[in-house]
């Protein structure tokens, strides 16, 4: 049997090592420091287009170009492996783990390198693998003025991809925790070292502290799972005959809470969301795509895979508190998005609102709502990823992410403005685009659970139209500002970076069935197991 998942994890990890081992641009080939104008523009407060630093030596420039080519090559190879694997995925059995691999890792403590995917994990892994090469293309010229030409940044992207695939594929609770925590390292440096603006170091530290706090709480719960279950293997822990089936109800609730707190911070949910807008605002657009498009999904995926399935009897105790927190996230995130003057922070706040819809669907305890929530994770990754990339193209041209520094872009760069409009409309879930299907399923499932939360959540839909259309109006329409009159339209490289995401958004908006075939059986399995356990607990 081909170890598909091990290969998919190993490929980007090997690529990261190769990129990191390339000769440095420095040591005789270092590019001179960027000019003061370039630094001011990079901070997001400048009014002039960023000035590139003088070119590095020929050997240094060649090393930087090789780093980009190797990164793109390994990310495409990883995507090809995962596509080949997905073609062998049995959708008729999508609710069960497939491509299972299990190797002893630390036998003394019962830890295994165990991986496998059901339909939900598979779609999230494929989403991650699609986003990475597009981020590489979008960031191709973004670090040319750095002393290493971005070599370190591209190595971090590949290292992060290996961990993203690993965290979604892990079927050993301890292995999941290792990937969950290890992801913090590359993201910390992608924000703190390769971010933009004077706040990037502070944003990176805040991201790290919040994530570590949640991770430490989850570590206690992971240890509790082993103490009470005797194993870390997910398949041996879940189900009526699983090792945690006879868990004391009080203990189950505490362990559930330990996992949930970590996932709520990662998602993020209100009130533990404050790290995200600052981190996204200080990130390069490519980093923001991976941060919001993929990493935050680990939180909501963890709620489905671990909170719901490891402790199904405890879920009923937390349904309504989480529903309330989800509704607050939906409305609060949307209201704050309307008031933002920075496009990167605005998109980050919209994601807080969107994640409220996802957690609302997860805890509505209906198959339709959980199917919609899982589908929402994938569609949000594509839609918000595309929106961040387009905003990044605007920032690169203008040297600023402030909304007031734009105006009339559609007159200078009509193709860029058109792409911005489509990605924005996807963000507000326009019918015919992919997010609409997932949002509709969430509403239908939540209404079946209880009409009141569904009616309150509608406020988020109305506000989404306001913040997206208002941002478009202020940046794209009206008289052309002098600072944007010289904007170039989409280049071929930029079109290749954004085009595939637009195609997926439209394709899955018109025909979402392939995703639903993979996701729905896994969502139904989770709902049935959780509801049955809750009913048994109530009967007792």
């Amino acid at each position: 049997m081909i170890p598909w998942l091990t290969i998919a994890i190993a490929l980007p990890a090997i690529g990261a090592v190769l990129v990191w081992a390339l000769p440095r641009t420095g040591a005789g080939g270092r590019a001179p420091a960027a000019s003061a104008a370039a630094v001011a523009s990079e901070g997001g407060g400048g009014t002039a287009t960023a000035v590139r630093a003088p070119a590095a030596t020929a050997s240094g420039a060649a090393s930087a170009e090789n780093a980009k080519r190797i990164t793109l090559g390994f990310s495409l190879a990883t995507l090809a492996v995962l596509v080949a694997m997905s073609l062998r995925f049995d959708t008729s059995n999508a609710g069960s783990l497939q491509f299972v691999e299990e190797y002893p890792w630390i036998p003394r403590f019962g830890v295994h390198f165990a991986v496998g995917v059901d339909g939900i994990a598979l779609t999230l892994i494929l989403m991650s693998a699609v986003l990475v090469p597009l981020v590489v293309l979008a960031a191709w010229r973004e670090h040319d003025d750095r002393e290493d030409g971005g070599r370190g940044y591209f190595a971090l992207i590949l290292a992060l991809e290996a961990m993203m695939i690993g965290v979604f594929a892990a079927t050993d609770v301890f292995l999941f925790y290792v990937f969950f925590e290890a992801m913090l390292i590359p993201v910390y440096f992608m924000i703190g070292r390769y971010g933009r603006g004077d706040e990037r170091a502070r944003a990176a530290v805040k991201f790290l502290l919040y994530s570590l706090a949640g991770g430490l709480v989850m570590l206690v719960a992971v240890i509790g799972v082993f103490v009470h279950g005797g194993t870390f293997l997910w398949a041996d822990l879940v189900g009526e005959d699983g090792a945690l089936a006879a868990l004391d109800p009080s203990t189950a609730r505490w362990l559930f809470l330990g996992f949930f707190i970590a996932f709520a911070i990662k998602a993020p949910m209100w009130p533990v969301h404050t790290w995200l807008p600052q981190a996204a605002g200080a990130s390069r657009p490519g980093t923001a795509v991976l941060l919001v498009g993929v990493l935050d999904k680990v939180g909501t995926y963890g709620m489905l895979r671990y909170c719901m399935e490891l402790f199904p009897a405890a879920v009923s105790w937390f349904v309504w508190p989480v529903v309330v927190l989800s509704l607050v996230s939906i409305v609060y995130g949307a209201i704050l998005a309307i008031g933002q003057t920075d496009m990167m922070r605005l998109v980050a706040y919209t994601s807080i609102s969107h994640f409220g819809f996802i957690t609302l669907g997860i805890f509505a305890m209906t198959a339709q709502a959980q199917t919609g929530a899982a589908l929402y994770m994938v569609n949000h990754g594509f839609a918000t990823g595309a929106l961040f990339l387009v905003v990044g193209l605007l920032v690169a041209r203008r040297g600023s992410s402030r909304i007031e520094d734009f105006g009339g872009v559609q007159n200078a760069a009509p193709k860029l403005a058109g792409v911005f409009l489509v990605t924005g409309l996807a963000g507000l879930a326009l019918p015919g685009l992919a997010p609409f299907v997932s949002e509709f399923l969430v509403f239908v499932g939540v209404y079946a659970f209880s009409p009141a939360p569904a009616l309150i959540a509608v406020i988020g839909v109305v506000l989404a139209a306001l913040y997206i259309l208002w941002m478009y109006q202020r940046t794209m329409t009206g008289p052309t500002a002098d600072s944007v009159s010289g904007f170039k339209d989409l280049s071929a490289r930029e079109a290749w970076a954004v085009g595939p995401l637009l195609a997926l958004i439209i394709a899955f908006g018109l025909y979402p069935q392939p995703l639903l075939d993979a996701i729905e059986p896994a969502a139904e399995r989770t709902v049935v197991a959780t509801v049955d356990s809750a009913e048994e607990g109530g009967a007792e």
Side-chain angles (χ1 to χ4, degrees), residues 167-380:
V167 78
F168 290 126
T171 56
D172 181 286
V173 178
F174 187 82
L175 179 66
F176 172 83
Y177 174 77
V178 170
F179 280 122
F180 183 88
E181 290 289 84
M183 288 190 303
L184 305 181
I185 300 171
V187 177
Y188 171 79
F189 287 105
M190 289 169 75
I191 298 172
R193 178 174 172 79
Y194 294 96
R196 60 188 192 92
D198 298 332
E199 295 295 317
R200 61 180 182 265
R202 183 180 299 176
V205 170
K206 187 172 184 178
F207 159 78
L208 187 65
L209 291 178
Y210 267 71
S211 299
L212 283 177
L216 289 174
V217 173
M218 188 171 78
L219 177 59
V220 176
V222 169
I223 295 172
V225 166
F226 181 75
V227 169
H228 292 281
T231 179
F232 286 116
L233 288 174
W234 181 84
D236 293 341
L237 293 168
V238 301
E240 295 180 357
D241 300 324
L244 294 180
L247 194 63
D248 174 74
S250 178
T251 303
R253 292 166 201 154
W254 282 110
L255 294 178
F256 173 98
L257 196 59
F259 279 91
F260 179 79
I261 290 173
F263 297 145
I265 292 173
K266 182 75 75 176
M269 290 183 67
W270 183 89
V272 289
H273 68 284
T274 56
W275 64 267
L276 178 60
Q278 191 171 351
S283 296
R284 297 286 184 176
T287 304
V289 170
L290 298 179
L291 179 65
V292 179
V294 182
L295 264 72
D296 290 353
K297 305 301 188 305
V298 176
T300 49
Y301 171 76
M303 293 178 191
L304 267 174
R305 171 57 57 87
Y306 294 94
C307 288
M308 305 290 286
E309 299 208 47
L310 289 182
F311 318 108
V315 173
S316 59
W317 280 77
F318 296 95
V319 165
W320 277 105
V322 176
V323 167
V324 171
L325 291 176
S326 300
L327 293 174
V328 173
S329 295
I330 290 171
V331 178
Y332 177 83
I335 291 175
L336 289 189
I338 294 174
Q340 295 305 305
T341 59
D342 183 285
M343 286 190 288
M344 295 289 287
R345 291 177 66 91
L346 188 152
V347 179
Y349 274 111
T350 69
S351 295
I352 293 172
S353 182
H354 292 149
F355 278 107
F357 280 106
I358 296 173
T359 53
L360 179 63
I362 291 173
F363 282 85
M365 305 297 290
T366 64
Q368 283 179 315
Q370 287 203 359
T371 300
L375 184 61
Y376 211 133
M377 294 185 218
V378 179
N379 290 335
H380 178 268

Side-chain angles (χ1 to χ4, degrees), residues 51-112:
V51 179
R52 289 195 182 277
T57 63
S59 61
S63 178
E65 288 299 307
N66 287 336
K68 299 169 188 175
R69 295 190 184 103
I70 292 172
T71 303
L72 181 61
F74 271 88
S75 63
L76 289 174
T78 303
L79 176 60
V81 167
L82 290 170
V83 169
M85 182 189 79
S86 66
L87 294 175
R88 292 163 173 78
F89 185 80
D90 182 8
T91 54
S92 65
N93 195 30
S96 301
L97 292 178
Q98 301 181 39
F99 310 112
V100 175
E101 303 172 44
E102 186 179 315
Y103 313 102
W105 179 19
I106 312 176
R108 182 180 181 87
F109 299 103
V111 179
H112 297 75

